[in-house]
Amino acid sequence: MSVLSARLLKSTPLLAAEPEATETAARETHAEPVRLGVIGPGSRGKELMRQLLRVPGAEFVAVCDVYEPRFAQASELVGHPLATYKDHRALLDRKDLDAVIVASPPVFHAQHVIDVMLSGRAVYGEKTMGFTPQSCFDIVDTVKKTGQIFQVGHQMRYAPWFQESVRRIHAGEIGEPTHIYAYWCRQDDWRRVVPSPDLEHLMNWRLYRESSGGLLEELGSHQIDFANWVFGELPASILGTTSIATYHDGRTVGDNVQAILHYSRGRRLVFNSLTANAMMGEQLWVYGTKGSVQITPEDATFYTEARKVITAASHSSVVQRGVKTGASYKANGEMPYRGPGARIDARNAEEPTLTACRAFVQCVRTKTQPIADVHAGFGSAIACSIGKDAVFEGSTKTIPPLTQGHA
Ligand SMILES: NC(=O)c1ccc[n+]([C@@H]2O[C@H](COP(=O)([O-])OP(=O)(O)OC[C@H]3O[C@@H](n4cnc5c(N)ncnc54)[C@H](O)[C@@H]3O)[C@@H](O)[C@H]2O)c1
């Protein structure tokens, strides 16, 4: 058993850096640099740059954006002038790039990541991988055709407390996992103040259906990826609904979403996202036949329940006392969730985006496909690209069975 697993099982806090990781970092310092370009150094793109600057050997060379103020921001971030381009194809004409980060809005992902791979470079492509079902297939096909490294921005695949939770779920600790309840609730209207009205759609792309799959795509995609990981398959269909309950400001995506994703053998992911009430925060509950696990950005907690033996009422007791329905309403001190649970404390763990960036640089060096590969990207993206229509229409949409081959 590794040092990390032993520590997790004792429920002690995760440390910021494992000794092995520090040694690896020291070795990486002497490795060849990995020269990077960025397409779309906006909010997320700059965060990825910040994290990659902490990875030994990662060097930024050039950025591409259609909004010029990003150029100065990106150069300031790295501390030296970067080459700048308004067209991603001009950036890809450079000879000195090893890999490219794509953090443009989702409608552009397919065009950008496919062109990067066709130019012979590895790509770290932000989620959601593709905006339409066809674009998801096209990206998978390009990875197959070019053999290029493709890592998707589902960084929770790199979080040790997520990895450990999934390992323990798969080992049977909570029995058969049948339901996942995913909450992503915030107080955040998503609206950005724009310098001039002509920039509304460029900056507030999340608010409009032509450029955004709304909360399902922007937040739910991470949680769908988690459910696909736990259940080991893609959902077969999705039932969704949305409304504008608070922010009546001209947006065409809802400010809250509820969706149920159907997996085989009756298993379900239930997703709920609110943007005017942060009470439930960001958390996942996995319910199994022998227990439950709650996973948050800070920890994971396993709960076990005493098994209740359910026996059928005998014919004579039904005749004598009538059919027994629910007990009458009374406090009985038996709420299972009042127990303390067994906690994996992750508050001191490394930021998962940094771990994901470290892993990407390592994959580029060693020419290996990452953990968060194109199949993980496909699984959440196909569900979102089809499921967003279910959410917008208030209907159920089927995810074609042929997509399962990509899981
Ligand atoms: N993995 C995560 O946790 C996470 C977190 C936040 C955002 N994201 C994803 O990152 C992506 C970007 O989100 P954001 O919040 O940074 O958006 P953003 O609007 O802040 O940044 C996008 C950038 O792309 C630029 N851009 C737009 N069209 C372009 C084009 N055709 N060519 C080049 N540049 C173009 C914009 O000018 C902007 O600078 C989205 O796909 C989002 O879902 C992922």
Side-chain angles (χ1 to χ4, degrees):
M1 184 186 295
S2 73
V3 176
L4 179 62
S5 318
R7 183 170 289 139
L8 286 164
L9 288 173
K10 279 194 226 149
S11 297
T12 50
L14 296 169
L15 293 180
E18 291 295 318
E20 298 153 42
T22 315
E23 282 161 28
T24 310
R27 281 198 299 277
E28 283 170 359
T29 315
H30 304 292
E32 282 292 298
V34 170
R35 297 161 303 175
L36 299 164
V38 183
I39 301 173
S43 167
R44 183 63 182 170
K46 282 184 289 187
E47 175 59 15
L48 289 171
M49 291 176 77
R50 254 176 237 116
Q51 299 297 347
L52 280 158
L53 286 169
R54 300 168 67 187
V55 179
E59 288 179 8
F60 288 97
V61 174
V63 286
C64 161
D65 205 296
V66 292
Y67 182 56
E68 267 184 47
R70 299 287 186 224
F71 297 153
Q73 293 166 6
S75 293
E76 192 185 339
L77 187 66
V78 299
H80 60 84
L82 293 166
T84 59
Y85 301 90
K86 287 193 117 176
D87 185 324
H88 74 283
R89 286 162 298 198
L91 175 133
L92 297 177
D93 283 341
R94 291 184 71 95
K95 299 283 171 259
D96 58 355
L97 290 175
D98 299 309
V100 176
I101 310 303
V102 173
S104 48
V107 272
F108 301 109
H109 286 175
Q111 186 191 354
H112 291 161
V113 304
I114 288 172
D115 286 350
V116 172
M117 288 190 277
L118 292 177
S119 80
R121 278 61 172 252
V123 56
Y124 185 112
E126 260 311 336
K127 60 85 199 161
T128 304
M129 186 180 95
F131 191 65
T132 60
Q134 188 57 50
S135 68
C136 299
F137 286 109
D138 291 345
I139 293 171
V140 173
D141 289 345
T142 309
V143 172
K144 277 189 193 150
K145 190 166 80 183
T146 62
Q148 273 304 330
I149 291 149
F150 176 89
Q151 182 166 325
V152 69
H154 283 316
Q155 64 273 7
M156 300 323 280
R157 290 250 178 182
Y158 296 86
W161 69 104
F162 272 70
Q163 292 176 343
E164 182 63 4
S165 297
V166 175
R167 188 193 67 73
R168 286 166 64 172
I169 292 166
H170 286 167
E173 204 165 310
I174 60 165
E176 170 80 4
T178 60
H179 288 78
I180 299 176
Y181 276 49
Y183 301 91
W184 205 318
C185 301
R186 297 171 160 178
Q187 284 191 39
D188 179 353
D189 70 0
W190 259 5
R191 181 165 281 291
R192 291 167 167 173
V193 177
V194 296
S196 70
D198 56 309
L199 295 173
E200 170 63 12
H201 283 264
L202 177 69
M203 297 197 159
N204 280 317
W205 56 267
R206 277 188 176 83
L207 303 183
Y208 303 101
R209 290 184 188 189
E210 62 269 29
S211 50
S212 170
L215 293 160
L216 182 80
E217 181 185 73
E218 284 303 304
L219 304 181
S221 59
H222 286 297
Q223 297 178 323
I224 294 170
D225 174 51
F226 175 78
N228 293 347
W229 185 11
V230 170
F231 291 145
E233 63 176 6
L234 307 190
S237 60
I238 172 168
L239 160 72
T241 185
T242 188
S243 71
I244 296 180
T246 307
Y247 307 117
H248 301 273
D249 60 0
R251 69 186 59 198
T252 56
V253 300
D255 60 18
N256 69 102
V257 166
Q258 293 75 42
I260 301 176
L261 288 85
H262 309 124
Y263 291 79
S264 67
R265 307 202 303 280
R267 298 175 299 175
R268 301 283 184 260
L269 164 65
V270 180
F271 170 69
N272 181 25
S273 184
L274 305 180
T275 52
N277 183 310
M279 181 66 195
M280 294 305 284
E282 180 193 336
Q283 56 177 310
L284 291 147
W285 279 90
V286 186
Y287 300 111
T289 50
K290 291 184 182 162
S292 313
V293 55
Q294 179 198 32
I295 309 178
T296 79
E298 296 178 347
D299 56 13
T301 310
F302 279 74
Y303 298 90
T304 46
E305 288 178 47
R307 277 295 84 197
K308 219 173 172 177
V309 180
I310 302 163
T311 47
S314 69
H315 178 73
S316 58
S317 80
V318 169
V319 170
Q320 280 166 24
R321 289 189 255 157
V323 174
K324 190 181 170 208
T325 55
S328 56
Y329 204 65
K330 60 174 186 187
N332 57 12
E334 286 177 6
M335 290 299 289
Y337 62 78
R338 301 289 160 88
R343 185 167 184 236
I344 301 169
D345 186 347
R347 282 171 301 178
N348 294 321
E350 181 175 271
E351 160 60 43
T353 298
L354 173 56
T355 315
C357 288
R358 241 188 246 298
F360 176 65
V361 170
Q362 193 63 11
C363 286
V364 175
R365 287 210 172 100
T366 56
K367 299 194 177 2
T368 46
Q369 286 296 344
I371 296 173
D373 65 3
V374 73
H375 301 295
F378 180 88
S380 61
I382 196 77
C384 290
S385 63
I386 294 174
K388 67 189 171 200
D389 290 334
V391 167
F392 293 148
E393 290 170 13
S395 64
T396 300
K397 296 279 177 201
T398 300
I399 298 167
L402 70 97
T403 60
Q404 293 289 349
H406 290 289

